[in-house]
Amino acid sequence: MELAKYWEIVYRRKWLILGSAVLIFVFTFLLLELTPTVYKSRAKVMFRSSNLQQTFISGVPNSLGQMTVVNPDNLIGTVEEMIESSPVINKAIHDIDLRDGDGKYLKMDDFVDPFVLKIFTKGAGVDISNLEASESFEIIGYAKTAAKAKRIPEEVIANLLSEFNNRYRKEMAQAKKAIEKRLGEVAVKFAKVEESVARYKYDSQLYNPAVQISGLVGEINDLESERDKNSRSTESSKAGLRAIEQAAWTNNPKAFKDIQANIESNALLDDYKRQLLSLESSLAKLTAEKTQEHPDVKVTKQQIDLVKDNIKNEVSKSFASQVTGRSPFFDNIAISYANDLSALAGSQAKDKILAKQIMNKKGELREIPAKERRLNELTRESDDLKNVYNALVIDLENVKSAEEISLANVVVVQPPDEPEAYFPPEDNEVFLAAALIGGLCFGLFFAFVFDYIDGTVKTPEDVKRLAGQEVAGVLPWAKELPASMVGGGDAIFDGSLYDVVTNIWTIRAREHKTVSIISHSKGDGRSTVACNLARLVAQTGRKVALVDGDLRSPSVQKAFGVSAAKGLSDYLSSDLRYNDVITRTSLPGLDLVTAGGPQQEPQRLLQSGRCAELMNDLAQAYDYVIVDTPALSEGSDALILSAYAKRALLIVKKGKTPEKSLKGFINGLTQAGVSVAGVLFNGARVKA
C-alpha cells in the first residue's frame, strides 16, 4: 500500500523529477565542455609539536619565553591559523603576482580555501587542510597554469618557515624583556627584604635567640634569688618591729599605740616612702644599664640613703612627741624602731621593683619564639628571592643565546609535486552519470517535499479520511465546458456521471428532486458537471431544470448556445412568474433558468423569499432540478442556494481543494441544514 502511494507521488510530480535530472545533466555537460582547465599541485609539511615550547627557561612563569602563538591544547588550529595568516598568504600573492580581472591583487578571503567557482573567477587559490590524526598539513595550489599551481605551495611553505622564525625571535625578545624587568623587580625586593631583616633584628634586639634565651633565664634566676634575699630582709625588719612592740612597752602599751598612730598618720613620712620607692626603681634601671661606679648610680644611692635618714628622723620625732623624760634606753629603742621601719620601707619598695623586673624578663622570654619565627620568615623570603635572582640571571643568558637560533619546527614531508588537471576531470563520463543520478535524486527529494507541503486533496481516500464521506464518482477531468452541450459528451466522463446519477437519486431519495453543485474554487468543474449531469438525466426521459445560480460569472447559457431575455436575477428583482424565465434547449426534457442580467449585490437577491418560491415551483414542475453555484471561496452564495435545494453534490478537485477546507465545507453544509448527496472526485487518472 505504501509503495503504491509513493509511486502515485512520483507520477504526480514526474515532470519536476525529469526536469531536475535534465537540467542538472545539461548544466554539468556545458560546465565540462566550456570551462578552461585548472591545475593543482600538492605539498605536505609536518610540525614538531614537542619543540614548540622552550625548555631552557625554568625559573620564571611558564608563559615567558614560550611560543605564545601556539596553544598546546589547540595546536592544529593555531598552526593552521599561522599558515593562513597575512604574512604568509599575502606575501605569496604578491611574490607570484596573483591578480584578479581588474588587475588588483587577490584578497586573502578569495584565495584561501576557495570554492571551485571562486577558483574559476579569480584564477588561483590555495587549500590548507590538516591530515586526520596527525600533525601534518596538506597545501594544494590551484591555478590556470601549471607553473603557478606549483609555485603557490612553494611560496606558502617558504613564507611559513620565515614567519615561524620571525615569530620565535619575537617571542624570545619579549621573553628577554620580561626577564630583565622581572630581574630588576626581584633585585629591588631582595634589597628591601634584607633591610627588613636587619631592621627587625635591631628593633627586636634579636641576634642569637639561643644565647638570648639562656641569658634571660639566668637574669630571671638572679632576680628571683635577690627577691628571696630581700624577702628575708623584709621579714627580719618586721620581726624587729614586732619585738619592739611586744617587749619594749610592756609597762605602757597605750603610749606605743599612740606613737604608731602618729607615725601612720604622718603625711611627710608617707611622702618619704613614695620617694624611696621611686628612687629604688630608678636605681634598678640604672644598675641594669650602667656600672656601680657610674655617677648616676652613686647619686641615686646617696639620695636613697638621705631619704632613709629622713624616715629615721621622722620616726624619732614621733617617739619624742609622745614620751616625756627621755633616757638612753628610750633613745636606743627609738633608734632601733626607726632603723627597722626604714629598712622595711626600703625592702618593700625593692620587692615591688624586683617583682616587676622578673615579670618583664619573663615577658621578654615569652616573646622570643614569636620574634624568632618572624625573623625566620624574613630570612627564608630573603633566601628565596636570592635563589630566584640567580635563576633569572641564568635564564637571561639562555634567552640571549636563543635569539640567535633559527627554530622553525617545520619539516617539509613532500615538496610540491608536478601539477595535474583539477577540473574538468579526465573521466567526464563518470561525472555526467553522477550528475544525472544526482539530478534524479534532487528531483525525487523536491517531489516528496512539495507533496508533503502541498495541503490539498490528492486521492479519493483522502476525501473519505478527511470528510468521512464515500466518493460518489471519480471523474477523469472536468475543468472547461465544451463549445456546445448539444452534441453529447466523452464516453468515460459520461460513464462516471451515470454512477453519480445512480448514487444520488436512489429509490429512497427520489423525493429530494433538487440538488446543488458546489466546490471550493473556480475551475473545479462545477458548471461542467452540472451541465453534463442535466444532459444525462434528460436523456433518460426525465424532465430536468438546470438553474444557473452563479450570478457573478454565469456560463450555462453559453454552454447550451441559447439566448434568453430573462433569467434568475430578473425573476428575483421583479414580480415575474417562473414560466417567464424558463428557456428551452434543443435537448428534449432539458430546460434552463439562466443567470439573467448582471447584478451588483447578487447575495441580497438570493436571500429574498422569491428564490425559495422559484425552487418550489421548479420542483413541482420538473422531475429533477440541478442548481449550478459560484465557488464557496467567492462568498456564501453557494450555501444560500444549497439551503433552498436541501441537498448538495460536492466536487473535490485533485491537487486544488485544500484539505483544511474540505471538512469545513461539510460542517458548513450541515449547519445550514443541507445534506451531502455525494462527493465527486475530479481529476483522477482513469484508464481508457
Side-chain angles (χ1 to χ4, degrees):
M1 186 64 182
E2 290 295 328
L3 187 61
K5 183 178 178 181
Y6 294 150
W7 176 249
E8 177 69 22
I9 295 174
V10 172
Y11 182 83
R12 189 161 54 244
R13 308 288 182 181
K14 58 184 176 295
W15 296 116
L16 173 63
I17 299 171
L18 293 175
S20 298
V22 171
L23 183 62
I24 293 177
F25 179 83
V26 171
F27 175 78
T28 304
F29 178 78
L30 294 175
L31 186 66
L32 294 173
E33 292 296 321
L34 301 178
T35 303
T37 303
V38 174
Y39 296 91
K40 68 177 180 180
S41 177
R42 302 173 183 268
K44 294 179 183 178
V45 295
M46 182 179 70
F47 288 82
R48 295 172 291 181
S49 62
S50 59
N51 296 332
L52 285 175
Q53 292 184 331
Q54 57 78 21
T55 57
F56 48 80
I57 304 177
S58 58
V60 295
N62 292 332
S63 59
L64 293 179
Q66 295 183 354
M67 293 295 291
T68 55
V69 294
V70 177
N71 181 359
D73 297 330
N74 187 23
L75 170 65
I76 302 304
T78 309
V79 171
E80 188 168 355
E81 289 178 3
M82 185 183 296
I83 300 175
E84 297 177 356
S85 63
S86 178
V88 176
I89 300 300
N90 270 336
K91 190 172 185 302
I93 292 173
H94 285 75
D95 291 345
I96 307 173
D97 195 29
L98 299 175
R99 301 175 184 266
D100 57 17
D102 297 331
K104 298 179 181 179
Y105 285 109
L106 295 181
K107 297 180 181 179
M108 284 184 56
D109 293 340
D110 297 332
F111 184 67
V112 178
D113 297 335
F115 294 107
V116 176
L117 184 59
K118 187 74 74 173
I119 297 175
F120 293 144
T121 56
K122 299 300 180 180
V126 63
D127 187 16
I128 301 166
S129 59
N130 172 240
L131 298 180
E132 187 175 358
S134 72
E135 296 178 350
S136 299
F137 286 83
E138 184 178 56
I139 303 173
I140 306 176
Y142 303 97
K144 292 183 179 180
T145 63
K148 283 187 176 181
K150 185 176 182 180
R151 192 177 172 192
I152 288 173
E154 290 177 345
E155 290 294 331
V156 170
I157 292 173
N159 294 339
L160 177 62
L161 294 173
S162 176
E163 176 64 14
F164 218 109
N165 284 327
N166 292 337
R167 292 198 181 191
Y168 187 84
R169 289 192 177 95
K170 182 179 179 181
E171 292 297 326
M172 289 298 102
Q174 291 179 351
K176 177 183 174 183
K177 184 177 179 180
I179 292 175
E180 289 175 343
K181 179 181 178 182
R182 177 65 176 158
L183 196 60
E185 293 173 350
V186 172
V188 172
K189 192 171 183 180
F190 176 68
K192 289 182 178 179
V193 172
E194 283 290 298
E195 183 181 352
S196 298
V197 171
R199 188 186 306 112
Y200 187 78
K201 286 182 178 180
Y202 178 79
D203 293 341
S204 62
Q205 296 296 309
L206 189 66
Y207 298 99
N208 191 331
V211 174
Q212 287 179 275
I213 290 173
S214 177
L216 284 172
V217 170
E219 290 178 7
I220 291 172
N221 291 333
D222 292 342
L223 289 172
E224 288 178 343
S225 298
E226 188 175 353
R227 185 178 62 179
D228 293 341
K229 181 179 177 182
N230 187 69
S231 296
R232 289 193 295 272
S233 176
T234 300
E235 292 300 324
S236 176
S237 297
K238 289 180 177 180
L241 291 173
R242 284 195 301 272
I244 292 173
E245 179 182 355
Q246 294 173 0
W249 302 87
T250 53
N251 295 325
N252 193 0
K254 182 178 180 303
F256 185 77
K257 288 183 180 180
D258 293 338
I259 293 172
Q260 280 185 320
N262 188 30
I263 290 172
E264 290 175 356
S265 62
N266 192 327
L268 183 60
L269 193 60
D270 290 339
D271 184 61
Y272 287 151
K273 289 180 181 180
R274 286 193 293 272
Q275 290 181 18
L276 182 62
L277 179 62
S278 176
L279 289 172
E280 287 288 349
S281 178
S282 298
L283 180 62
K285 291 181 181 179
L286 289 172
T287 54
E289 299 174 355
K290 301 174 183 180
T291 62
Q292 295 291 332
E293 300 300 323
H294 193 276
D296 292 340
V297 175
K298 290 182 178 181
V299 170
T300 303
K301 286 183 176 182
Q302 291 174 359
Q303 291 176 343
I304 291 173
D305 293 339
L306 181 61
V307 171
K308 287 182 177 181
D309 290 340
N310 290 335
I311 292 173
K312 292 177 183 179
N313 291 332
E314 282 298 318
V315 172
S316 297
K317 289 179 181 180
S318 297
F319 268 85
S321 64
Q322 297 295 328
V323 179
T324 57
R326 294 176 61 181
S327 64
F329 176 76
F330 168 78
D331 291 338
N332 289 333
I333 289 188
I335 292 171
S336 298
Y337 192 88
N339 289 336
D340 288 339
L341 187 61
S342 173
L344 179 61
S347 61
Q348 286 178 338
K350 190 173 183 179
D351 189 66
K352 291 180 180 179
I353 293 170
L354 288 172
K356 186 175 181 180
Q357 287 180 332
I358 291 171
M359 183 181 66
N360 291 339
K361 292 296 181 181
K362 288 183 177 180
E364 291 179 16
L365 186 63
R366 286 192 297 271
E367 290 176 355
I368 286 181
K371 291 180 179 180
E372 186 177 15
R373 286 195 298 272
R374 176 57 182 160
L375 181 61
N376 290 337
E377 291 176 0
L378 292 173
T379 303
R380 282 196 300 271
E381 185 177 359
S382 175
D383 293 340
D384 292 341
L385 288 172
K386 185 176 181 180
N387 293 333
V388 171
Y389 182 85
N390 294 333
L392 287 173
V393 171
I394 296 173
D395 291 337
L396 183 61
E397 293 302 319
N398 289 336
V399 170
K400 289 179 180 179
S401 301
E403 284 185 300
E404 306 301 324
I405 301 174
S406 294
L407 295 176
N409 301 94
V410 179
V411 177
V412 180
V413 178
Q414 173 188 319
D417 57 10
E418 290 302 318
E420 60 181 4
Y422 169 65
F423 192 87
E426 296 179 357
D427 49 351
N428 286 356
E429 294 80 4
V430 176
F431 213 84
L432 289 172
L436 183 61
I437 295 173
L440 288 172
C441 295
F442 186 80
L444 284 170
F445 171 75
F446 274 99
F448 282 98
V449 169
F450 289 159
D451 201 79
Y452 177 78
I453 63 178
D454 182 10
T456 60
V457 179
K458 303 177 185 66
T459 64
E461 289 74 15
D462 292 341
V463 175
K464 184 177 180 181
R465 175 175 56 85
L466 296 168
Q469 294 283 337
E470 293 290 344
V471 176
V474 177
L475 304 179
W477 191 258
K479 180 178 180 181
E480 296 182 355
L481 287 167
S484 175
M485 295 297 299
V486 179
D490 180 80
I492 298 178
F493 189 83
D494 288 352
S496 300
L497 281 181
Y498 276 126
D499 295 336
V500 175
V501 174
T502 303
N503 288 330
I504 67 174
W505 279 304
T506 61
I507 296 174
R508 288 182 298 173
R510 283 181 182 174
E511 64 273 13
H512 301 291
K513 295 183 176 183
T514 306
V515 65
S516 63
I517 312 298
I518 64 173
S519 71
H520 175 265
S521 307
K522 294 181 68 173
D524 287 344
R526 292 181 316 282
S527 298
T528 302
V529 171
C531 293
N532 283 280
L533 188 61
R535 176 179 58 82
L536 291 175
V537 173
Q539 288 176 356
T540 63
R542 304 301 178 102
K543 289 181 63 178
V544 181
L546 175 59
V547 180
D548 191 350
D550 190 352
L551 302 183
R552 302 174 188 273
S553 54
S555 58
V556 172
Q557 181 177 343
K558 182 180 178 180
F560 284 92
V562 298
S563 58
K566 302 294 182 179
L568 178 60
S569 62
D570 302 303
Y571 177 86
L572 297 177
S573 60
S574 65
D575 56 356
L576 295 173
R577 294 179 300 174
Y578 84 92
N579 288 329
D580 297 332
V581 294
I582 295 295
T583 301
R584 309 296 177 185
T585 67
S586 59
L587 297 177
L590 176 57
D591 294 337
L592 306 179
V593 177
T594 62
Q599 295 292 326
Q600 301 245 340
E601 298 179 353
Q603 185 174 339
R604 183 178 59 82
L605 291 176
L606 293 174
Q607 288 177 333
S608 67
R610 294 277 292 169
C611 189
E613 183 181 342
L614 176 63
M615 293 299 173
N616 291 330
D617 291 341
L618 292 175
Q620 292 182 13
Y622 292 87
D623 294 323
Y624 298 106
V625 179
I626 299 173
V627 183
D628 186 19
T629 65
L632 287 166
S633 60
E634 294 181 351
S636 59
D637 298 8
L639 285 177
I640 295 172
L641 291 169
S642 298
Y644 296 139
K646 302 299 183 182
R647 299 183 75 208
L649 178 63
L650 179 62
I651 298 177
V652 175
K653 182 65 177 292
K654 175 185 176 182
K656 190 173 182 182
T657 302
E659 290 184 352
K660 293 182 179 180
S661 302
L662 180 57
K663 194 168 184 180
F665 299 161
I666 304 297
N667 293 335
L669 291 171
T670 302
Q671 292 175 4
V674 180
S675 62
V676 179
V679 179
L680 275 180
F681 187 78
N682 185 14
R685 274 192 310 123
V686 179
K687 296 182 179 180

